[in-house]
Amino acid sequence: MEAAQADTVIAPSLLAADFARLAEAASSVAGAVDWLHVDVMDNHFVPNLTIGPPVVKSLKAATDVPLDCHLMIEDPERWAVGYAELGAHNVTFHAEASADPVTLAKRLRAAGSGAGLAIDRDTPVEDYLDILPEFDTLLIMTIKAGFGGQEFLPELLDKVRTARRRAETGHLHLRIEVDGGIAEDTIGAAAEAGADAFVAGTAVFGASDPAAACRRLRERAAASR
């Protein structure tokens, strides 16, 4: 499935997978997902440390599933383009960490990836509505960025609704992605609010059959849109 053509994008988060077996985790969901969500954390922007360019390079060689790199890092102007150059399908950086989001988005697109803007839990989306035409994806955190396994915060879906209204009135080709606590009992509300790309970690890699879990998530999201 081509991610750009999918009505509903399912992007399981490798943060919830066994880091010693990431290639196996990718293989376990291939054919059932659109993207693989890769959480890059630097222990500065968020108090957690995960993976970086060498692992992304290895993943790119190990799977044909497009990589959706979510950079929870300081100074994305310095590092983000490198992920695009490694072949990431989409590179998302945090609005809170960027000095010039529009220029960085243009650089990412020029390097061959989609450009994504992430909005953390406590950041108003309204501050960034006017620059959405520069982006391919708007990622709205439905938890506080930094750790997997947190409880979904339904009040943050108001940001999704606001962004979807702006996308529709502005005729924008914009993915609205949600990340945090997405599972079978929450994905419907996120889809109804206007999200069309869904990051799920524990709900996928904590399941006995990760591919089947992804298919169930897709069905529930599609039923609510």
Side-chain angles (χ1 to χ4, degrees):
M1 178 183 299
E2 289 294 326
Q5 298 175 359
D7 291 332
T8 299
V9 167
I10 301 298
S13 172
L14 292 172
L15 184 64
D18 182 347
F19 273 24
R21 299 179 177 179
L22 289 181
E24 293 177 34
S27 178
S28 74
V29 295
V33 304
D34 307 282
W35 301 343
L36 285 172
H37 191 77
V38 182
D39 288 301
V40 177
M41 306 183 194
D42 64 358
N43 203 31
H44 295 284
F45 180 72
V46 293
N48 198 3
L49 183 64
T50 57
I51 61 181
V55 176
V56 171
K57 182 178 180 179
S58 296
L59 277 170
K60 178 64 179 172
T63 182
D64 292 330
V65 181
L67 301 182
D68 177 39
C69 291
H70 175 193
L71 309 186
M72 287 171 268
I73 64 174
E74 291 183 349
D75 197 9
E77 280 78 10
R78 179 179 179 184
W79 303 107
V81 173
Y83 289 90
E85 292 171 345
L86 287 172
H89 172 75
N90 193 60
V91 178
T92 296
F93 59 91
H94 269 263
E96 304 86 1
S98 176
D100 188 349
V102 170
T103 296
L104 183 51
K106 291 177 179 177
R107 291 176 60 206
L108 288 169
R109 286 174 163 178
S113 77
L117 183 71
I119 304 292
D120 205 357
R121 180 191 65 189
D122 300 325
T123 300
V125 72
E126 289 82 1
D127 294 347
Y128 298 95
L129 295 177
D130 289 343
I131 65 171
L132 291 183
E134 305 294 336
F135 291 88
D136 303 286
T137 302
L138 174 67
L139 188 157
I140 294 177
M141 298 301 300
T142 43
I143 57 170
K144 175 65 177 173
F147 291 90
Q150 298 182 57
E151 184 175 349
F152 177 77
L153 299 173
E155 62 270 22
L156 298 181
L157 293 180
D158 284 343
K159 297 183 187 181
V160 176
R161 297 183 184 96
T162 298
R164 178 55 65 196
R165 285 194 296 269
R166 175 59 65 93
E168 290 178 350
T169 58
H171 305 288
L172 305 181
H173 297 288
L174 180 73
R175 285 284 184 200
I176 299 180
E177 185 173 14
V178 285
D179 181 1
I182 298 299
E184 288 188 46
D185 60 345
T186 59
I187 195 170
E192 186 175 0
D196 58 5
F198 306 89
V199 177
T202 305
V204 172
F205 292 114
S208 58
D209 186 336
C214 290
R215 288 190 286 268
R216 289 193 299 270
L217 288 170
R218 187 185 303 280
E219 290 169 0
R220 290 190 178 237
S224 300
R225 292 190 60 208

